[in-house]
Amino acid sequence: MMDFESCVYCVVGIMLFMHSEHAYAFSINPECGKTKGCYSDCDNGQSCTYLVSWLSGNSSTEFTIQATLSTDTDHYVCFGLSPTQTMGDASVSSCLMSNSGSFSYENSYNHGHHNILVTYPTNGLSNLVHFYVNNIITCTFNRTNSNTDSKVFDLNSHFYMMYAQGKTSGGIKLKHHKYSLSSEKVDLKSVAEVGQGEPSRIKAHGSLAIIAWMCFMNIGNMIVRYFKPLWSSKQIFGSAVWFQVHRLLMSIGAVLTITSICVVIRGSLKIGDTRFENAHPIIGITILCLVIINPMLGILRPDMDSKYRPVFYCTHCIVGLGSLILGPVNIFIGIQLKKANVTETAFYFLIVHEVLKCIMIVIFEVLLIKEKNIIKQEETYQLNSNEMHKLPRDNKPSPQNIETDRPPYAWKLRKILLSVHVCIALTFTLVMVILVTTSTSS
């Protein structure tokens, strides 16, 4: 009962945590798309956690940054303008709020992953208005359309817009804990409403991949490795039940994997500024090839007595094992990408899930080794018995026929462990999908 209560408290805690992220959300400015251009994460005009709006004038443009903050202590909010859809090479304007309630403004420039103040940070910034009410910060200021500093971009050009927020220390911006990038270039002379860079597609991609690898592929692998005797006396469409269950689970996982890649693929393998980030699509394409190859191998598998059967078995196992390793690894990378915008909680949940899975695999392997030792002892005993009774060698029983009525070693325990493993997989998959689809990085 205590375990059940602990699980309930854990789930409630997660729900409260996720709710707190949006507890102070606000509605979009009604002037967006009419008299002002806007970039936000609003959902149909509601549940906004940040909003950057602009109103272009002859010599300057008025910007307003509005965002929800968890506390009023040492935070900053900012927007950046970049000619490329990456974080580097961006002109940034920031609003900083200190613990004492004072505000300051500055222009800076992103060089790679480093944010550097321009020579004169406040040059071109004027008409500063700011306030913080009910966990919502609002900063309004004018920025000149042109600047003598080349690192403060001319606002007459089109740029990708990014938004970021984070904490400060001693008036210096620390690494942001929330980040987004527009899906298209922004014309600051227009009054268009611009959204995040394909957040729905990215989250759908992540959710499908999580369901495929944390649930279907995970359970399907367990079935084929440790539960071949499952309903061994029964068949479905001419094949053993374990085989049909394994094939069904792996097929669904493959379809979800292919769908997840089709949802997000854009013809480019560059999705970030680091090798770590750009490894994600490369590994993803590798996994796609593996999940296509393995079913084809299954269709073309030779008969049991074919001399090519060992070659097929070895290839099938290598391809399957490779994909089962790369799948979770790529999910680890994916949830840490800036574009995924996922809370750090998801990372720790994934670690816990993989640790529990490894523990379960170790237990099953120990039981499997124990079973093989028992079978080996029975074979030895049977051979010795045959020798004592001087039975012809042709009459000796094969290992598969020894004690056929006896269930496999620790079979009840294994079935209980399988049930536990399925429950863990389903629970963690559900939680991970919720975290990926509803949360933002923090």
Side-chain angles (χ1 to χ4, degrees), residues 312-381:
F312 154 76
Y313 181 78
C314 182
T315 306
H316 187 63
C317 288
I318 292 174
V319 173
L321 182 61
S323 62
L324 288 168
I325 293 173
L326 291 176
V329 168
N330 217 26
I331 293 175
F332 268 112
I333 297 174
I335 62 175
Q336 297 179 75
L337 296 177
K338 300 182 187 73
K339 291 184 178 181
N341 205 24
V342 177
T343 173
E344 193 175 356
T345 306
F347 175 78
Y348 295 116
F349 260 90
L350 187 56
I351 290 178
V352 173
H353 174 266
E354 293 304 311
V355 169
L356 291 176
K357 185 172 73 174
C358 288
I359 292 174
M360 196 67 72
I361 289 174
V362 170
I363 295 174
F364 279 130
E365 285 294 331
V366 170
L367 294 176
L368 192 60
I369 293 172
K370 183 69 175 177
E371 182 182 35
K372 289 180 179 179
N373 290 336
I374 291 175
I375 292 175
K376 186 175 181 180
Q377 291 173 4
E378 290 178 348
E379 290 178 17
T380 303
Y381 173 80

Side-chain angles (χ1 to χ4, degrees), residues 25 41 44 83 91 189 223 237 271 275 294 305 389 398 439:
D41 66 344
N44 293 322
S91 174
K189 299 292 184 181
I223 293 292
F237 301 115
I271 62 172
R275 291 182 179 179
N294 229 15
D305 56 352
H389 291 84
S398 63
S439 66

Side-chain angles (χ1 to χ4, degrees), residues 204-218:
H205 163 73
S207 299
L208 290 171
I210 286 170
I211 295 170
W213 293 97
M214 290 183 64
C215 184
F216 289 101
M217 294 292 196
N218 177 11

Side-chain angles (χ1 to χ4, degrees), residues 7 10-11 14 206-207 210-211 213-215 218-219 331 345-357 420-436:
C7 291
C10 183
V11 172
I14 294 169
S207 299
I210 286 170
I211 295 170
W213 293 97
M214 290 183 64
C215 184
N218 177 11
I219 298 173
I331 293 175
T345 306
F347 175 78
Y348 295 116
F349 260 90
L350 187 56
I351 290 178
V352 173
H353 174 266
E354 293 304 311
V355 169
L356 291 176
K357 185 172 73 174
V420 172
H421 181 73
V422 170
C423 290
I424 291 174
L426 292 175
T427 301
F428 274 80
T429 299
L430 177 62
V431 172
M432 284 292 294
V433 169
I434 292 174
L435 289 173
V436 166

Side-chain angles (χ1 to χ4, degrees), residues 86-146:
T86 59
M87 189 175 160
D89 188 29
S91 174
V92 180
S93 294
S94 307
C95 172
L96 291 74
M97 180 179 66
S98 69
N99 191 23
S100 61
S102 62
F103 287 75
S104 62
Y105 296 78
E106 63 184 33
N107 285 324
S108 58
Y109 177 77
N110 283 351
H111 179 70
H113 286 276
H114 301 283
N115 181 258
I116 305 169
L117 287 177
V118 297
T119 305
Y120 301 102
T122 60
N123 186 26
L125 300 179
S126 61
N127 299 332
L128 314 178
V129 179
H130 39 256
F131 50 89
Y132 178 80
V133 179
N134 295 329
N135 291 83
I136 299 176
I137 185 174
T138 301
C139 300
T140 300
F141 58 94
N142 278 47
R143 172 172 157 175
T144 55
N145 291 336
S146 60

Side-chain angles (χ1 to χ4, degrees), residues 52-193:
V52 180
S53 62
W54 58 89
L55 177 61
S56 179
N58 293 329
S59 61
S60 66
T61 299
E62 180 188 85
F63 289 96
T64 298
I65 307 176
Q66 191 173 13
T68 60
L69 299 178
S70 56
T71 66
D72 60 353
T73 56
D74 297 332
H75 277 81
Y76 71 87
V77 292
C78 65
F79 71 85
L81 303 174
S82 175
T84 61
Q85 202 171 16
T86 59
M87 189 175 160
D89 188 29
S91 174
V92 180
S93 294
S94 307
C95 172
L96 291 74
M97 180 179 66
S98 69
N99 191 23
S100 61
S102 62
F103 287 75
S104 62
Y105 296 78
E106 63 184 33
N107 285 324
S108 58
Y109 177 77
N110 283 351
H111 179 70
H113 286 276
H114 301 283
N115 181 258
I116 305 169
L117 287 177
V118 297
T119 305
Y120 301 102
T122 60
N123 186 26
L125 300 179
S126 61
N127 299 332
L128 314 178
V129 179
H130 39 256
F131 50 89
Y132 178 80
V133 179
N134 295 329
N135 291 83
I136 299 176
I137 185 174
T138 301
C139 300
T140 300
F141 58 94
N142 278 47
R143 172 172 157 175
T144 55
N145 291 336
S146 60
N147 197 293
T148 55
D149 192 329
S150 61
K151 300 299 183 183
V152 182
F153 294 165
D154 191 318
L155 300 184
N156 294 310
S157 301
H158 295 187
F159 299 99
Y160 288 100
M161 178 169 281
M162 60 186 71
Y163 168 81
Q165 70 182 60
K167 292 194 173 184
T168 63
S169 178
I172 300 175
K173 299 193 294 290
L174 302 179
K175 181 177 175 60
H176 57 74
H177 61 244
K178 185 171 185 177
Y179 168 85
S180 69
L181 182 66
S182 65
S183 57
E184 57 190 273
K185 284 189 174 182
V186 174
D187 178 6
L188 295 173
K189 299 292 184 181
S190 73
V191 293
E193 289 188 65

